Amino acid sequence: MNLGKYKNLIFYITTIAVFSALMYYFIIEGQTLEVKENIVANTSTGSTWDNFLESFKTNLHHPLALLLAQIVTIIMTARLFGWICMKIKQPTVIGEMIAGIVLGPSLVGMYFPEFSAFLFPKESLGNLQFLSQIGLILFMYIVGMELDLSVLRKKAHDAVVISHASIIIPFALGIGLSYFVYQEFAPDGIQFTSFALFIAISMSITAFPVLARIVQERNLQKTKLGTIVITCAAADDITAWCILAAVIAIVKAGSFTSSIYVIIMAIAYVFLMIKIVRPFLKRIGDLQAGKNTISKPMVAIFFLTLILSAYATEVIGIHALFGAFMAGAIMPENTKFRTLFIDKVEDVALVLLLPLFFVFTGLRTQIGLLNDSHLWMTAGFIILTAVLGKFAGSALTARFVGINWKESLTIGALMNTRGLMELIVLNIGYDLGVLSPEIFAMLVIMALFTTFMTGPALDFINFIFKSKKNQDESIQDNDSKYRVLLSFDKPESGSTLLKLAHNFTHKMNGNKSITAMNIAPVDEMHAYDINEYEESQFQNVIETSHDLNLEVTTLFKASTDIESDLTSITNKGHYDLLLIMLGKSMYEGSLLGRLLGFTTKIINPEKLLNTVKGKGNIFNNSPFDDFTLQILDKTNIPVGILVEKDFKAADKVFVPIFNLSDFYLLEYAKRLINNNNSQIIILDAAGQIRNNIEVKELIRSIEQVAPNHITLYNEKKIEKEFLNSQDLMLISSKSWKNLIDTKSLWLSDIPSTLIISNP
């Protein structure tokens, strides 16, 4: 017997046995050391099951377990309402704000009080508040980093005038509003000045992050209007937060005179950050220039800067969030460095921690307090004042400085967006005791309304000012050219798809149009680097177009719903063919992955809706990833899905025909022959081509124009060498599904494959 083969097993068993015996010995000996009268025995009289249930209930109410349950519930609810808002073309932040109100006393607390009391007991709200404050600090840090101060330096001019007017006008109206609501809604013991200042600042806030996302989604970032409104919002953000810091100082001190020392310390703090800390951080950022990662010591330095800055402003008395904002604003201006650092912070802040703030705000928002018509009329008056001050104030100022009416109204609509920034201000006022629960609820409703109205207002403005030229373009006949749209996510994919499109259209000269489109998730971009992001995405496409001497139109769009935007552009653009790359599901490759993928299908709202409508089935397997399935389901033109295996050119093309429904592939084979002189080998798998007169006539017509370019292949068995010799395979989507379902041996040897779906 060869013991060498079993030495590891023998060692393992021996080790377990020896040390188990040793532990048993010490436990037995240790029990002799017990002093019996000091030992408290477990005197539980219930059954084992009862003891388990009692322990389970205790664990459920443990602070950590409760906090984790709250976080899970909050994130799931926020994502659900965010998804709903995304589908109706609203910022996801609105959905997250609504999710907070839904989980609060206004809905769940009102109709399911026992559940609300279990999940959000009062004693647990302290933990939730502190975690949400950490999320806000990180968020304000990101907001500060996303500000492009160079834009303010270079392109201020009219924008600063508009920005400051959009603050002073609603601020003044807010002071006036306070005069009418102070006696009825101000908390006891709060001075009019403190109350009025907080009402005024709540009227003046613009949500820079939401505004920047809307500008990106509507492709305004490269226009003069986009530049002006981003600059306005940036100036507005800086000014408003400085004013807020002063307001907090005055409110805490009780009067302007008493706040002088706080304001002086705040000015000294700002001077220190700009003149000393900022140059120091710039030197560190310069050392990082050109690197693709940030070292942990670097990360530690910048996080320490953030925390110390937030701590300083909290101690001074102007709130930690101002310090976080300031720390972000003085970060090194190196675009790549900022992007790398934001990516480290953003997901944790926005996905995990920030929803806690929305729910914490929702738990404070008691819409049920507005229980009569007078209170709702007051809320309506507050909304009217907010819109009049911000929307009308910005629009009229923009018109005064010479901007046309359409763009002026657009600026007004965008500057009226309040979103999360408004909630931050309101919570600060609530924490300081300046805002009563009733006025707090009204102002939260105002924040929701003004944010929600931005999209419809922009659409309405565009509708009113829709030019005759645009109307003519919408009805123009676009069928004279063969139009190919290629959509890609990675730069190298765009280059590959462009080569493929070139093979289909090479000799069509002026009768073709190729558009390369990149739709990028809004979350992957930042207001300060969107132009650089776009250039990097299209760099390979432009280089390839030059190599091919091919004219290409580029189309870039930021989106929160890529599938919907892609299908909308495709269906409205009079295209003849859409080319995309085959995606790969993140859940492939393991049993756990497949289980998670199935679970995701079940909880995916869109898949559930399609199942209910009969358009899909969550239990069906598909050869395509979810993104591709959405595109195939919603587009009304042919879609070519490329399975890329080092595709270079389509000189040798293999076209398997498995049934009559695959015959449309011959039209694409014909295009490859006419434009690329491709050699086509057609596999007549079922012997149907020989018996179909129409198809035989099509092949004959192709042969007359381009002889010796089509070969019929009748072999039943396809050899590996044959597949390896081909450059491209054209196959129908149904036949591709059959190959996947039957786990065909072809799959390991096929060349680059274009799966064509015919609607």
Side-chain angles (χ1 to χ4, degrees):
M1 181 178 179
N2 186 6
L3 294 178
K5 292 173 59 178
Y6 301 100
K7 66 177 183 179
N8 288 345
L9 179 61
I10 294 170
F11 175 79
Y12 175 77
I13 294 174
T14 303
T15 302
I16 295 296
V18 170
F19 283 95
S20 295
L22 191 61
M23 287 187 289
Y24 178 76
Y25 170 77
F26 280 118
I27 289 173
I28 296 299
E29 290 298 314
Q31 289 176 349
T32 63
L33 304 177
E34 296 175 356
V35 180
K36 298 300 181 183
E37 58 270 19
N38 293 333
I39 303 299
V40 180
N42 186 356
T43 58
S44 176
T45 57
S47 66
T48 304
W49 175 250
D50 291 336
N51 292 338
F52 167 75
L53 287 180
E54 188 64 30
S55 174
F56 185 74
K57 290 178 182 178
T58 302
N59 293 339
L60 276 178
H61 290 86
H62 188 276
L64 179 59
L66 198 58
L67 179 62
L68 294 174
Q70 290 170 345
I71 292 173
V72 170
T73 305
I74 289 167
I75 291 176
M76 290 181 66
T77 308
R79 302 307 288 179
L80 172 63
F81 282 92
W83 176 84
I84 292 172
C85 284
M86 180 183 71
K87 288 301 177 184
I88 60 174
K89 301 299 182 183
Q90 286 289 340
T92 55
V93 68
I94 294 178
E96 293 171 334
M97 291 165 69
I98 294 173
I101 293 173
V102 166
L103 289 175
S106 301
L107 189 66
V108 171
M110 181 179 294
Y111 295 103
F112 307 97
E114 295 84 2
F115 175 76
S116 181
F118 164 74
L119 189 60
F120 298 108
K122 288 185 178 180
E123 60 271 16
S124 73
L125 298 185
N127 294 332
L128 201 61
Q129 181 180 16
F130 282 122
L131 266 183
S132 69
Q133 289 298 311
I134 296 297
L136 281 181
I137 286 173
L138 293 175
F139 172 73
M140 291 307 301
Y141 189 41
I142 294 169
V143 171
M145 281 192 282
E146 288 194 333
L147 284 177
D148 189 356
L149 298 180
S150 63
V151 172
L152 287 177
R153 290 193 293 267
K154 297 174 185 176
K155 302 176 181 178
H157 308 300
D158 295 344
V160 172
V161 175
I162 298 169
S163 171
H164 287 177
S166 75
I167 291 177
I168 191 64
I169 294 173
F171 198 92
L173 290 179
I175 297 285
L177 173 67
S178 304
Y179 177 80
F180 294 99
V181 299
Y182 170 73
Q183 286 188 322
E184 185 174 359
F185 295 107
D188 293 337
I190 294 297
Q191 297 177 350
F192 175 77
T193 302
S194 300
F195 181 78
L197 287 174
F198 255 97
I199 295 295
I201 196 67
S202 69
M203 297 289 115
S204 308
I205 288 292
T206 291
F208 174 76
V210 179
L211 181 147
R213 296 291 187 262
I214 294 173
V215 167
Q216 291 170 8
E217 288 173 23
R218 292 179 178 260
N219 285 335
L220 298 174
Q221 67 274 6
K222 285 189 172 182
T223 65
K224 181 182 178 182
L225 171 63
T227 302
I228 290 174
V229 78
I230 286 290
T231 309
C232 282
D236 192 295
D237 231 21
I238 294 171
T239 307
W241 279 98
C242 290
I243 293 174
L244 178 63
V247 168
I248 293 171
I250 293 169
V251 170
K252 285 186 174 181
S255 68
F256 178 77
T257 306
S258 303
S259 68
I260 289 293
Y261 296 110
V262 175
I263 294 174
I264 290 173
M265 289 183 68
I267 293 172
Y269 155 80
V270 172
F271 180 84
L272 178 71
M273 293 293 283
I274 293 175
K275 295 299 183 180
I276 297 177
V277 179
R278 186 181 184 187
F280 170 71
L281 295 181
K282 183 180 183 301
R283 292 186 64 182
I284 295 177
D286 291 341
L287 295 175
Q288 188 69 29
K291 297 181 181 179
N292 293 321
T293 58
I294 303 177
S295 64
K296 286 182 173 58
M298 290 279 190
V299 173
I301 289 172
F302 286 103
F303 271 128
L304 277 173
T305 303
L306 162 64
I307 295 168
L308 288 172
S309 178
Y311 174 76
T313 52
E314 182 69 22
V315 171
I316 289 171
I318 55 175
H319 209 281
L321 295 182
F322 181 78
F325 174 78
M326 192 68 192
I330 65 167
M331 284 280 283
E333 294 185 5
N334 182 298
T335 300
K336 188 174 183 180
F337 176 79
R338 283 199 176 198
T339 301
L340 286 171
F341 202 83
I342 288 174
D343 288 343
K344 282 183 175 292
V345 179
E346 195 169 36
D347 289 343
V348 174
L350 300 188
V351 177
L352 181 63
L353 297 178
L354 206 56
L356 306 186
F357 170 73
F358 290 117
V359 171
F360 185 74
T361 302
L363 291 170
R364 289 176 158 184
T365 306
Q366 303 176 59
I367 296 178
L369 293 175
L370 310 184
N371 52 12
D372 62 44
S373 58
H374 168 68
L375 293 174
W376 280 105
M377 286 179 64
T378 304
F381 187 60
I382 289 173
I383 293 172
L384 179 63
T385 305
V387 174
L388 188 64
K390 202 72 175 178
F391 191 132
S394 302
L396 291 175
T397 305
R399 186 71 187 96
F400 178 79
V401 299
I403 299 173
N404 63 51
W405 271 116
K406 179 185 177 182
E407 293 187 351
S408 296
L409 291 172
T410 301
I411 290 171
L414 288 167
M415 294 298 287
N416 192 46
T417 304
R418 286 177 173 84
L420 171 61
M421 308 301 282
E422 178 75 10
L423 296 188
I424 293 173
V425 172
L426 298 182
N427 274 276
I428 292 173
Y430 192 93
D431 289 333
L432 292 173
V434 176
L435 302 178
S436 65
E438 293 86 358
I439 202 74
F440 181 81
M442 294 177 188
L443 291 171
V444 168
I445 293 171
M446 180 271 288
L448 269 172
F449 182 86
T450 53
T451 307
F452 187 86
M453 70 175 283
T454 303
L458 291 173
D459 292 336
F460 185 66
I461 292 166
N462 289 333
F463 175 78
I464 292 175
F465 290 92
K466 191 174 184 180
S467 65
K468 186 176 185 299
K469 179 181 177 182
N470 289 337
Q471 294 175 7
D472 292 340
E473 287 176 356
S474 66
I475 60 174
Q476 183 180 356
D477 182 14
N478 289 298
D479 294 331
S480 58
K481 293 183 178 181
Y482 186 74
R483 286 176 159 76
V484 180
L485 174 66
L486 54 97
S487 178
F488 64 94
D489 57 349
K490 299 177 181 177
E492 56 272 19
S493 299
S495 177
T496 301
L497 290 174
L498 184 59
K499 293 175 185 176
L500 180 61
H502 180 65
N503 287 166
F504 278 104
T505 61
H506 177 45
K507 296 182 180 179
M508 297 182 71
N509 299 324
N511 292 322
K512 65 183 177 185
S513 172
I514 298 177
T515 302
M517 177 171 67
N518 178 252
I519 303 180
V522 168
D523 295 339
E524 289 188 5
M525 293 174 294
H526 310 285
Y528 60 83
D529 72 340
I530 188 168
N531 291 333
E532 291 184 20
Y533 184 93
E534 180 179 349
E535 288 175 7
S536 66
Q537 290 295 93
F538 283 102
Q539 182 177 353
N540 286 16
V541 168
I542 292 172
E543 289 176 356
T544 302
S545 68
H546 291 161
D547 294 340
L548 299 174
N549 194 25
L550 181 64
E551 184 178 343
V552 177
T553 302
T554 58
L555 176 61
F556 178 77
K557 181 173 176 57
S559 173
T560 56
D561 189 356
I562 294 178
E563 293 94 336
S564 296
D565 284 333
L566 173 54
T567 52
S568 175
I569 292 170
T570 301
N571 293 334
K572 294 178 181 178
H574 302 282
Y575 295 104
D576 298 291
L577 177 64
L578 169 65
L579 295 177
I580 60 176
M581 300 291 283
L582 178 65
K584 185 174 182 180
S585 173
M586 63 183 286
Y587 302 110
E588 292 178 3
S590 68
L591 177 61
L592 177 60
R594 288 191 290 272
L595 178 62
L596 288 173
F598 175 72
T599 306
T600 302
K601 290 180 181 180
I602 292 177
I603 65 174
N604 185 306
E606 189 145 7
K607 285 190 171 293
L608 288 176
L609 284 174
N610 286 338
T611 301
V612 171
K613 293 177 181 178
K615 293 183 178 180
N617 191 329
I618 59 174
F619 299 102
N620 284 348
N621 289 324
S622 171
F624 303 115
D625 60 290
D626 290 342
F627 175 81
T628 305
L629 282 174
Q630 292 288 330
I631 303 306
L632 293 176
D633 180 55
K634 295 179 180 179
T635 50
N636 52 25
I637 67 168
V639 179
I641 307 153
L642 181 64
V643 182
E644 206 270 331
K645 291 189 175 181
D646 195 27
F647 176 78
K648 302 296 182 185
D651 296 330
K652 296 180 180 180
V653 181
F654 174 49
V655 185
I657 303 293
F658 290 97
N659 50 59
L660 290 173
S661 63
D662 290 347
F663 284 163
Y664 67 86
L665 295 174
L666 298 179
E667 291 292 339
Y668 295 94
K670 179 181 178 181
R671 286 192 176 277
L672 288 173
I673 292 172
N674 292 340
N675 291 284
N676 194 57
N677 292 323
S678 301
Q679 292 292 327
I680 307 294
I681 296 179
I682 299 175
L683 171 65
D684 187 10
Q688 294 179 341
I689 292 180
R690 292 190 299 272
N691 302 322
N692 191 297
I693 298 175
E694 185 179 343
V695 175
K696 289 173 67 176
E697 187 60 35
L698 174 61
I699 294 175
R700 188 178 296 112
S701 66
I702 296 173
E703 282 288 330
Q704 288 177 352
V705 177
N708 304 318
H709 280 76
I710 292 183
T711 303
L712 285 179
Y713 194 85
N714 296 313
E715 296 292 333
K716 296 295 183 183
K717 185 178 181 181
I718 304 298
E719 299 292 341
K720 175 181 178 180
E721 291 74 15
F722 168 77
L723 290 172
N724 289 338
S725 68
Q726 302 300 303
D727 298 316
L728 181 70
M729 179 171 77
L730 293 185
I731 190 170
S732 69
S733 54
K734 290 182 180 179
S735 296
W736 177 256
K737 185 178 188 306
N738 289 335
L739 289 182
I740 298 294
D741 290 343
T742 58
K743 296 181 173 58
S744 172
L745 296 176
W746 286 18
L747 294 174
S748 59
D749 301 315
I750 58 172
S752 294
T753 300
L754 184 64
I755 308 160
I756 300 180
S757 173
N758 208 32

